[in-house]
Amino acid sequence: MKIFGSMRLRDLIRAVRACKTAAEEREVIAKESAALREDFRSEDGQFYRHRNVAKLMYIHMLGYPTHFGQMETLKLIAGAGFAEKVGVCACRKHT
């Protein structure tokens, strides 16, 4: 299964559900986690921060480590817009 760049949450869920083995699932999660780390480092990542944190929440629910997204979650809590408030839910997941 080829995955290029960061995908939408819906596509990530579909990719994980399509995996036949646990190894395939780990590969999909590892690639998406790497893409998320890269998005967080880029300057354009701030515009999609709430979407990326939502993907982190899903990955966390699957039981994979998501500690690299804690600061992004705190940045969302400090944000003024409603879309950024998904960070409050995500922060509760990390504690």
Side-chain angles (χ1 to χ4, degrees), residues 18-92:
C19 294
K20 303 279 190 229
T21 64
E24 283 182 24
E25 180 180 311
R26 284 192 300 270
E27 181 182 346
V28 168
I29 296 298
K31 287 183 180 180
E32 185 59 28
S33 294
L36 287 172
R37 282 188 204 98
E38 190 174 313
D39 282 348
F40 289 149
R41 285 188 203 117
S42 73
E43 292 181 18
D44 295 335
Q46 66 182 347
F47 300 112
Y48 301 109
R49 188 176 289 141
H50 62 283
R51 292 180 182 178
N52 291 336
V53 170
K55 288 187 276 187
L56 277 177
M57 288 174 53
Y58 177 68
I59 292 171
H60 180 74
M61 288 180 355
L62 292 176
Y64 294 96
T66 57
H67 58 277
F68 60 90
Q70 289 177 346
M71 287 307 296
E72 299 301 320
T73 301
L74 291 175
K75 289 177 186 175
L76 282 181
I77 292 172
F82 179 74
E84 287 86 14
K85 297 307 175 187
V86 73
V88 175
C89 297
C91 187
R92 295 197 58 142

